[in-house]
Amino acid sequence: MIKKGNLYWPSKGLQKRAWVKSKKIYQEAQKRPIKFWEKLAREIFWHKKWKKAFLHQPPYFKWFIGGKLNITENCLDKNLEHNKNKVALIWEPEPTEESSRTFTYYELYSQVNRMANALKKLGVKKGDRVGIYLPMIPEVIISMLACARIGAVHAVVFSAFSPQALKIRLQITKAKILITADGYFRRGKVINLKENAEEGIKDTQVKKVIVVERAHNQITWKKGRDFKFHDLLETERRLCPSAIMDSEDLLFILFTSGTTGIPKGCVHTCGGYTVQAKFTGRWIFDLKEDDVFWSMADIGWITGHTYSCYSPLLNGTTFLIFEGAPDWPTPDRWAQIIEKYGVTTFYTAPTAIRMFEKYGAEFLTKYKFNTLQILGSVGEPIDEAAWRWYFTKVGKKRCPIVDTWWQTETGGILITSLPGVGPFKPAFTGLPFPGVKVDIWDEKGKSLPPNKEGNLVILPPFAPGLLREVYKNPQKYLKTYWSQYGKKVYFTSDAALKDENGLIRIVGRVDDVIKVAGHRLTTGELEAAINLHEDVTECAVVGIPDEIKGEVPVAFVVLKKKRHPQKIKEVIISKIRAEIGPIALPKEVYLVEDLPKTRSGKIMRRILRRLFTKEPLGDLSTLANPESVDIIKMKT
Ligand code: PRX
């Protein structure tokens, strides 16, 4: 990388290799974004070409109207022509003594087709929703693609989510079938996933459960309802004709946490998502057919969907998925994996980078990382120190860091500089992807000049992969994304600024979302879980800065009766574990007498947060109960 001032530029070598080598593409795309996306869409295989590229009926919009396609034909069938025997997927299990598994494009194609036939036999039809509650094993990829093959809509639920979290997602989607596993390995332990699934499907419409035998742990089995994944596949044919999907038919639903504890199902559709997934992967990670791409995110998150499944396949690349934790059983497990498979493109989150850094650089001395070409970061702002460590110790100052900004809602990356174009600047995500118009606005909707912080917005025609609706909840869709600045401007809920070169820096969320180790939670859903406790009068949860995880939640709880405080704290924590899962556990639960409130009764969470950030608390005189702050201060 070439350093000029505080900017880094790609070397000649990087530029030469890259799909996109010059800035010109930005101008072309900026002038006629719809035409630009159409040009990209033409590289996808369609059964029928679209009649109109973009239709805007605020707050709704459509892309490639009238187009017919199936994403799996673009991911699999298309690759049989040239890449039939090439490895598509590498799976690294957590136990080091267990062998990895690989699937060529043909093998993956066969498995997906068999699974698609099996789903059909079990009564799954086009448009039906299928719940998937699986860990990072190849069967999760096979299941998602099998759904897409027959036009069923997959709704993947993160395997570390609790049975309650699974239940509500199954209830909202009304899934009649769930694909899960007996268990999986995490830090040397077997997690009994089937037990959680059993609990989660109670009071839902799930009638059939497909179980992958992964950990071979003891599980309960209900004859007639439960089916073994591999038994189903064995008897099925290797060919399943793909459903011809309308561009705007649903491809998948993926939930993000909501304010009230009710999650929001982000709806992604077939045509636009395919185009965006393919080209963001190709240009941002510079995916070539001889690359080995490893995105560390779990499939339960959007990063897993787009960059650990669809995008690498759409680009005919080899990609890797890993079952375990990157620092287990030794802190260098992730580095071993990079070396073992010659990973060329590595995509992770700042939390992981900070964790690797904390282990100290000594354990990395034996790794040269000379296969790596591009590094990626996602999910939360990367601070300058972590950026520099990643750039120097992992990328050896050779590899650009694509700091990619996007959301579950956007389906694919929308902001980051391109590896062959640049520039890259520590702690800045970079330039919007060609064809994407973003801006920074003040509260009134005025565009802000460089270096002024405001709200990040996305302007029409948005991007083909942006969510189309919140599943079965049009009010939520309108209120969350299309109310702040009217129905024609997408409000991201992120604060950001752009520098004089147009590079964007993400400051953080302006709503109640907190990013804990890159995982998206809302303080509202934690509060809803705590409020389930009968002794709780009220509570407030805030995210406070954490050296490794970026942010962690802490809870302030007012009790009706002050009995057995320690026990109550434990019960509150177990409530959160049961309602959401272990990722949401608060760092501390403070039992307090009162919460700071405005005179109209609004809890001032901002003040609670500032007790930890050491920012000035501001004017407390407007509070109804300023004394509450001093009392809480003593407890924290
Ligand atoms: O606040 C932004 C942050 O993550 C949010 C979206 O979270 P989620 O839907 O879980 O998707 C994460 C993975 C795509 C955003 O609103 N975020 C995401 N990427 C970045 C980021 N913050 C700073 N820098 C990023 N690169």
Side-chain angles (χ1 to χ4, degrees):
M1 301 290 289
I2 299 160
K3 187 169 188 282
K4 284 187 200 152
N6 57 358
L7 297 180
Y8 292 80
W9 297 88
S11 62
K12 282 254 154 25
L14 270 168
Q15 234 173 356
K16 206 165 143 207
R17 179 189 190 275
W19 281 101
V20 181
K21 304 180 199 320
S22 108
K23 266 208 318 238
K24 261 197 262 157
I25 203 145
Y26 286 99
Q27 287 131 23
E28 178 200 327
Q30 185 75 11
K31 252 193 253 157
R32 303 168 86 188
I34 299 170
K35 283 263 171 313
F36 167 80
W37 285 112
E38 275 193 285
K39 195 167 150 191
L40 301 187
R42 274 187 220 112
E43 289 193 40
I44 302 279
F45 171 71
W46 299 81
H47 282 273
K48 195 168 154 218
K49 213 191 143 219
W50 58 94
K51 288 203 184 84
K52 190 173 164 59
F54 179 70
L55 180 70
H56 197 184
Q57 294 166 320
Y60 297 100
F61 60 93
K62 292 177 179 171
W63 277 91
F64 310 119
I65 300 111
K68 307 274 181 203
L69 81 167
N70 186 295
I71 192 168
T72 69
E73 291 180 339
N74 283 284
C75 289
L76 300 170
D77 307 47
K78 198 162 173 262
N79 281 304
L80 298 187
E81 293 159 24
H82 303 295
N83 291 327
K84 191 172 173 191
N85 298 318
K86 175 186 159 161
V87 173
L89 169 64
I90 304 169
W91 175 64
E92 172 79 0
E94 180 181 279
T96 44
E97 62 281 6
E98 197 178 324
S99 307
S100 57
R101 287 164 70 194
T102 57
F103 294 78
T104 62
Y105 269 93
Y106 181 68
E107 285 163 344
L108 192 61
Y109 165 86
S110 310
Q111 298 281 333
V112 168
N113 277 272
R114 286 177 201 265
M115 182 61 180
N117 280 325
L119 288 174
K120 269 191 181 168
K121 203 172 273 170
L122 291 177
V124 180
K125 299 202 173 54
K126 187 170 166 178
D128 286 353
R129 279 80 52 215
V130 173
I132 300 181
Y133 188 46
L134 281 173
M136 286 299 266
I137 54 178
E139 288 79 1
V140 75
I141 309 286
I142 295 168
S143 301
M144 288 161 70
L145 293 166
C147 290
R149 186 84 179 166
I150 60 171
V153 179
H154 57 73
V156 178
V157 179
F158 179 41
S159 58
F161 271 156
S162 70
Q164 281 303 328
L166 172 64
K167 188 191 302 292
I168 191 159
R169 286 157 176 79
L170 293 173
Q171 285 169 340
I172 296 173
T173 55
K174 295 196 168 65
K176 291 195 213 65
I177 196 157
L178 178 72
I179 310 173
T180 186
D182 51 2
Y184 62 96
F185 292 89
R186 193 72 184 170
R187 296 188 181 277
K189 281 203 206 101
V190 173
I191 310 289
N192 190 331
L193 194 65
K194 179 73 181 340
E195 193 173 280
N196 289 354
E198 288 285 352
E199 191 55 39
I201 61 173
K202 282 184 194 155
D203 309 318
T204 71
Q205 298 190 11
V206 171
K207 299 278 178 315
K208 287 174 183 148
V209 180
I210 301 176
V211 184
V212 180
E213 289 167 292
R214 156 69 191 117
H216 302 282
N217 48 315
Q218 275 240 314
I219 54 170
T220 51
W221 195 264
K222 196 164 163 196
K223 239 177 140 196
R225 184 202 62 185
D226 295 352
F227 301 84
K228 292 185 179 177
F229 186 99
H230 291 105
D231 284 0
L232 289 179
L233 259 59
E234 233 164 61
T235 52
E236 290 301 336
R237 293 187 50 231
R238 261 180 307 198
L239 183 68
C240 173
S242 52
I244 309 291
M245 305 299 287
D246 192 89
S247 174
E248 284 295 318
D249 278 341
L250 269 63
L251 174 62
F252 66 84
I253 302 167
L254 184 61
F255 285 88
T256 71
S257 38
T259 1
T260 50
I262 298 175
K264 298 196 292 271
C266 295
V267 168
H268 289 285
T269 52
C270 297
Y273 178 82
T274 304
V275 175
Q276 199 177 317
K278 175 166 176 136
F279 283 92
T280 52
R282 175 183 281 196
W283 289 359
I284 294 165
F285 299 112
D286 206 18
L287 291 182
K288 298 280 163 56
E289 293 200 346
D290 56 356
D291 275 333
V292 179
F293 179 56
W294 180 20
S295 166
M296 241 177 55
D298 191 278
I299 202 78
W301 310 104
I302 190 70
T303 311
H305 279 56
T306 307
Y307 300 105
S308 280
C309 180
Y310 289 113
S311 183
L313 293 171
L314 288 166
N315 285 292
T317 305
T318 300
F319 70 107
L320 187 141
I321 63 169
F322 173 46
E323 180 185 39
D327 60 338
W328 200 90
T330 51
D332 58 347
R333 181 74 192 273
W334 61 278
Q336 287 171 15
I337 295 173
I338 291 176
E339 297 257 308
K340 180 172 171 189
Y341 297 104
V343 170
T344 55
T345 322
F346 180 52
Y347 192 29
T348 189
T351 294
I353 298 165
R354 289 188 292 260
M355 182 177 81
F356 302 154
E357 184 181 0
K358 201 162 179 211
Y359 282 122
E362 305 79 59
F363 78 91
L364 287 185
T365 46
K366 60 174 185 251
Y367 298 98
K368 296 207 173 55
F369 294 130
N370 46 13
T371 56
L372 285 176
Q373 314 223 22
I374 291 172
L375 300 175
S377 173
V378 62
E380 40 176 327
I382 178 166
D383 51 280
E384 207 163 322
W387 193 100
R388 292 201 186 282
W389 186 87
Y390 197 29
F391 182 69
T392 319
K393 301 292 178 207
V394 184
K396 311 283 182 192
K397 300 189 180 167
R398 285 186 301 107
C399 307
I401 297 176
V402 286
D403 175 8
T404 62
W405 177 89
W406 58 302
Q407 307 176 310
T408 309
E409 290 85 346
T410 69
I413 299 165
L414 291 192
I415 308 178
T416 191
S417 294
L418 298 176
V421 182
F424 301 93
K425 183 172 172 183
F428 281 71
T429 64
L431 297 171
F433 193 77
V436 178
K437 292 186 180 178
V438 307
D439 203 358
I440 318 279
W441 283 9
D442 72 6
E443 292 300 321
K444 294 201 175 107
K446 203 168 115 256
S447 175
L448 289 168
N451 299 315
K452 282 262 181 285
E453 192 180 309
N455 292 325
L456 178 70
V457 295
I458 307 173
L459 303 172
F462 318 113
L466 189 66
L467 88 164
R468 299 299 195 266
E469 53 174 315
V470 172
Y471 193 67
K472 301 269 182 234
N473 199 339
Q475 295 85 354
K476 197 95 206 162
Y477 175 72
L478 183 67
K479 184 160 176 268
T480 316
Y481 311 110
W482 309 100
S483 297
Q484 179 85 6
Y485 297 116
K487 290 185 193 164
K488 289 186 187 157
V489 175
Y490 176 86
F491 175 57
T492 63
S493 296
D494 271 313
L497 57 84
K498 58 173 180 286
D499 73 3
E500 44 298 326
N501 299 306
L503 301 179
I504 290 173
R505 176 183 191 139
I506 305 294
V507 177
R509 299 282 303 200
V510 295
D511 57 1
D512 72 341
V513 165
I514 53 173
K515 294 306 286 286
V516 181
H519 301 320
R520 178 163 163 181
L521 298 168
T522 59
T523 54
E525 67 179 326
L526 267 79
E527 289 169 5
I530 297 172
N531 283 328
L532 290 174
H533 193 295
E534 56 182 15
D535 285 348
V536 171
T537 309
E538 59 181 357
C539 70
V541 172
V542 295
I544 61 163
D546 181 86
E547 210 183 300
I548 301 289
K549 294 184 175 177
E551 273 184 303
V552 286
V554 292
F556 299 87
V557 181
V558 182
L559 294 176
K560 286 180 192 143
K561 305 174 214 135
K562 279 182 233 135
R563 287 176 308 172
H564 318 300
Q566 194 49 39
K567 180 116 190 288
I568 288 188
K569 274 192 194 183
E570 281 163 23
V571 178
I572 285 174
I573 288 178
S574 65
K575 273 259 175 286
I576 294 175
R577 186 190 290 277
E579 289 298 312
I580 308 166
I583 54 162
L585 295 184
K587 186 172 182 185
E588 188 59 75
V589 176
Y590 297 101
L591 299 179
V592 296
E593 274 73 44
D594 204 2
L595 295 167
K597 285 187 191 141
T598 60
R599 294 203 177 117
S600 58
K602 194 169 171 271
I603 300 172
M604 292 300 284
R605 291 175 181 76
R606 199 169 54 225
I607 293 177
L608 294 171
R609 188 170 191 276
R610 286 182 186 156
L611 290 172
F612 295 87
T613 57
K614 308 289 176 231
E615 287 165 271
L617 293 179
D619 180 12
L620 301 182
S621 66
T622 54
L623 293 181
N625 54 351
E627 68 292 346
S628 65
V629 180
D630 285 328
I631 301 171
I632 295 175
K633 214 171 177 178
M634 285 186 316
K635 295 208 174 194
T636 57

